[in-house]
Amino acid sequence: MSDPKDSMLAYLVIREGSKWTDVFRLTPGRTVTIGRAATNQIVIKDERCSRNHAEIFMTGGSWTLRDLESRNGTLVGGKPVHGDFTLSPGDVVRVAHCQMAFVHNLSEAFLDVEPESEARTGEETVVGTLVSGLSDSKVLEAFEPTTITHRRGQTRFLKRADSADAGAPGVGRAAAQLCRLAFELANQSDPVSLSNLALDGLFEGTRVDAGAVLLATRDRNVPPTSSGDLEVVASRTAVGFPYHRISDFLASMVLRDGEAVLARNIAGDSSLGLRDSKGVYHATSVICAPIRQGTIVFGLVHLYCTDTSKTLDPDDLEFTLAVAENVALALKHLDRQQELTENLSLTQSEIVQLRKRLGAESEIVGSSQLMRHIQQEIARAAPSRATVLIRGESGVGKELVARAVHFASSRKKGPFVCLNCAALSESLLESELFGHERGAFTGATERKIGKFEAADQGTLMLDEIGEMSSSIQTKFLRVLEGHPFERVGGNQPIRVDVRVIAATNLDLEKAVSDGSFRRDLYFRLHVVEIQVPPLRRRPDDVIELANHFLERFKEETGRRTRGFTPSATSLMQRYRWPGNVRELKNVVERAVLLSQGDYIDVDDLHLSNLATATESGEILLSRGAYEPLPLAEIERRHIEATLKSTAWNKSRTAEVLGIERSTLDRKIRRYGLKRRES
């Protein structure tokens, strides 16, 4: 009796040509794969072999062969294998040009028979039997006549030519055509025109008479798996019937393998889906090449020939693959260009939104001689590290000038921090400037960093610097001199690198004389001074600013206001603008919201009758009467008159005067103003 273990031993004796060349031992429990891909245990380098062609494994004590839906089939003894086939000793398995004898004993494989003639005789016998016993449709089903004759993963047309190829006329012509086509593809602005241009080149460089370019219908980072995931972007035919869409079988194979294929002998092959209105198949050969980026295939070039006197050859396949590679590169550039355009648009939109949140503009608006002088001063001051003092009336745009200095300096990538010194009490101002530790005072539940720390490596703007108390001025001066500071309630020294820009609408020289502002701090701040002129001194900028604010508020509100009437324009140029640019902005915003017509007219401009605050040092208190008075007395009377006109509505009064509500409260206390009951 034979040992059962002997039946477990099996070999595949591999033959190439007329000689047996290799032996592969089959091991129980291990599946052996056969195919063209390098990942298989048995690799067959033949264009007619699929990447994963067949596999052999043991089941139920017997060795079984299974064809993996290969394109050109697997034969045993000349018979095509369908499903699982149980191998017997002496069976000859044929895949493309390679033959493998299945044996339990190696001596059984080497018979005194000419291998090629044996295989040929067996195959002819089998085919003859099939043809005599089956209908035509069953013959097609049992043994596909269509043959994939060539496959190409890369094309030599896109590689540096060897000396042997360089002199070949065909290669030279193809390279010249591809070079011209590549330049033209790079200049296309959309996928449709690009695909049509590619088809022009393919019809010129190959012998096809019908074809199309198909691209993925969804995200190109998600590879399509079937023809249903592809959209025909461009198609063309040079024959009497329209282009016929690629079959699912051929599309799936190229999408899966990522290789260009050339198929012949396809007349009557329904798997390729090429037929006219009468149901007659006409295509003699087909080329399908992948459009890919890296390992991802996101499109196909599908071409076929219907002329029986013409047959597509490997050079046509190479040329088509080269064009497909150029199409992929051009599409990649189009996608990148579109992505950059979208990112640029998004970035610009984000910048605009951020500037709106910060209340800053992209540039200082105004083209008058005074504003050009301001811009020159900003350009000179920005590169240095010196402290800048910005002076001007309330509402002229001192913060805007400070921002321009910051963003024109080497600190533009650092933070820009702004603090209004007049808006806070002494204790809160110290906490805001220098920070505080947890428990430093009632309500200090967490540690807080101050504006100086927040502005490290950047710029700190202190508005209304003249309102800072004496004790804070002392500590502030030490920090300006480069000394470390401590948070309120802390003892850890902190050093920062901050450029300070101070702004004020007060007469600091008078404050120094009065003793309310430290002399040493004044000289420390007064290094570089920029004087911002009031709006009434630059009337040429009024209409430019008005139009600027009009466009902004039209965009924000969706109103369709078309502009200002000539009367409104004339009035705005004559008006003295005591509230400066801030007042102009508010007037235009109110007019855009409340105007009923297409143009803003005089009636839509709600202008005040207030006098300007600091233009000449004198003021007309009544029509035709002049009374010389100190500035403080003029300010007291003016604030009192404004309070009366608003029925002591402090918020409204502060808005009219163009100052903060907290500043108004201090001035009311300073001048001892009281509401008198009528």
Side-chain angles (χ1 to χ4, degrees), residues 419 424 428-435 448-452:
L419 177 64
L424 301 170
L428 288 178
L429 179 58
E430 182 180 12
S431 173
E432 284 293 320
L433 279 174
F434 308 111
K448 177 183 177 180
I449 65 170
K451 300 300 184 185
F452 267 107

Side-chain angles (χ1 to χ4, degrees), residues 220-247:
R220 290 180 187 168
N221 293 322
V222 181
T225 57
S226 67
S227 63
D229 298 330
L230 301 173
E231 177 184 0
V232 177
V233 178
S235 64
R236 183 168 309 168
T237 62
V239 291
F241 52 88
Y243 163 76
H244 199 290
R245 187 182 176 91
I246 188 172
S247 68

Side-chain angles (χ1 to χ4, degrees), residues 287-300:
I287 288 176
C288 188
I291 300 174
R292 59 196 171 192
Q293 291 180 5
T295 59
I296 299 177
V297 178
F298 63 89
L300 299 174

Side-chain angles (χ1 to χ4, degrees), residues 345-362 555:
S345 176
L346 179 61
T347 301
Q348 290 175 337
S349 176
E350 290 176 347
I351 290 173
V352 171
Q353 294 300 323
L354 287 173
R355 282 171 174 160
K356 287 181 179 179
R357 293 179 189 175
L358 294 171
E361 299 298 324
S362 59
E555 181 181 350

Side-chain angles (χ1 to χ4, degrees), residues 379-674:
R380 287 193 293 267
S384 71
R385 296 172 54 90
T387 304
V388 179
L389 178 62
I390 303 174
R391 308 179 78 160
E393 295 179 11
S394 179
V396 294
K398 296 187 290 295
E399 182 179 342
L400 182 61
V401 173
R403 288 182 184 276
V405 172
H406 169 74
F407 287 109
S409 71
S410 59
R411 296 173 176 264
K412 60 184 178 182
K413 294 184 178 179
F416 177 84
V417 180
C418 185
L419 177 64
N420 189 336
C421 299
L424 301 170
S425 64
E426 180 178 339
S427 59
L428 288 178
L429 179 58
E430 182 180 12
S431 173
E432 284 293 320
L433 279 174
F434 308 111
H436 62 253
E437 297 290 347
R438 181 179 180 180
F441 50 84
T442 303
T445 58
E446 299 292 340
R447 169 189 284 183
K448 177 183 177 180
I449 65 170
K451 300 300 184 185
F452 267 107
E453 288 183 79
D456 191 24
Q457 304 298 319
T459 303
L460 173 63
M461 179 196 174
L462 297 177
D463 200 5
E464 304 290 355
I465 190 71
E467 302 289 346
M468 185 180 289
S469 65
S470 299
S471 60
I472 302 298
Q473 290 179 30
T474 302
K475 190 171 182 180
F476 176 54
L477 177 61
R478 284 186 55 81
V479 178
L480 283 181
E481 296 290 350
H483 296 284
F485 63 91
E486 298 173 355
R487 299 189 189 99
V488 178
N491 54 15
Q492 180 181 359
I494 300 171
R495 289 184 180 273
V496 291
D497 178 14
V498 174
R499 182 183 192 176
V500 173
I501 298 178
T504 184
N505 61 356
L506 298 181
D507 186 348
L508 287 185
E509 289 78 8
K510 185 176 183 302
V512 171
S513 300
D514 295 344
S516 60
F517 198 82
R518 291 181 61 100
R519 180 181 297 270
D520 48 2
L521 178 58
Y522 168 78
F523 288 114
R524 184 63 182 82
L525 292 174
H526 198 257
V527 179
V528 177
E529 179 178 315
I530 298 177
Q531 184 76 39
V532 185
L535 185 57
R536 60 182 171 274
R537 290 181 54 194
R538 44 191 182 102
D540 295 341
D541 293 333
V542 170
I543 303 305
E544 186 176 352
L545 282 164
N547 288 325
H548 171 76
F549 292 131
L550 175 64
E551 293 301 320
R552 179 206 284 187
F553 295 128
K554 279 170 58 179
E555 181 181 350
E556 290 182 0
T557 61
R559 302 296 296 271
R560 298 183 179 181
T561 307
R562 301 175 63 179
F564 300 93
T565 65
S567 300
T569 300
S570 177
L571 176 61
M572 287 191 294
Q573 288 180 313
R574 295 195 312 268
Y575 183 60
R576 304 297 286 168
W577 299 109
N580 292 296
V581 180
R582 181 185 292 119
E583 182 185 7
L584 174 59
K585 174 185 173 183
N586 294 335
V587 166
V588 174
E589 182 178 14
R590 185 186 302 111
V592 171
L593 290 173
L594 301 180
S595 64
Q596 300 297 320
D598 292 338
Y599 291 89
I600 295 175
D601 203 354
V602 173
D603 295 337
D604 300 316
L605 300 175
H606 296 270
L607 304 177
S608 71
N609 57 1
L610 298 176
T612 56
T614 59
E615 183 177 12
S616 63
E618 59 185 35
I619 187 169
L620 292 175
L621 297 180
S622 62
R623 291 185 179 273
Y626 167 71
E627 180 184 358
L629 292 171
L631 287 175
E633 178 62 19
I634 293 174
E635 184 178 47
R636 186 192 69 78
R637 293 187 182 186
H638 183 57
I639 293 175
E640 185 176 26
T642 307
L643 285 167
K644 289 180 179 179
S645 68
T646 62
W648 274 76
N649 185 325
K650 293 183 180 181
S651 297
R652 174 62 180 157
T653 300
E655 181 182 357
V656 171
L657 295 175
I659 61 177
E660 299 290 338
R661 168 68 183 271
S662 57
T663 303
L664 176 62
D665 289 334
R666 282 195 301 275
K667 292 182 182 296
I668 290 173
R669 291 194 298 270
R670 179 187 302 172
Y671 297 128
L673 299 177
K674 296 182 180 180

Side-chain angles (χ1 to χ4, degrees), residues 321-340:
L321 180 56
V323 172
E325 297 285 0
N326 278 284
V327 169
L329 184 60
L331 286 172
K332 180 180 179 181
H333 290 163
L334 276 181
D335 290 344
R336 182 58 177 163
Q337 182 179 0
Q338 181 179 358
E339 180 183 353
L340 289 173

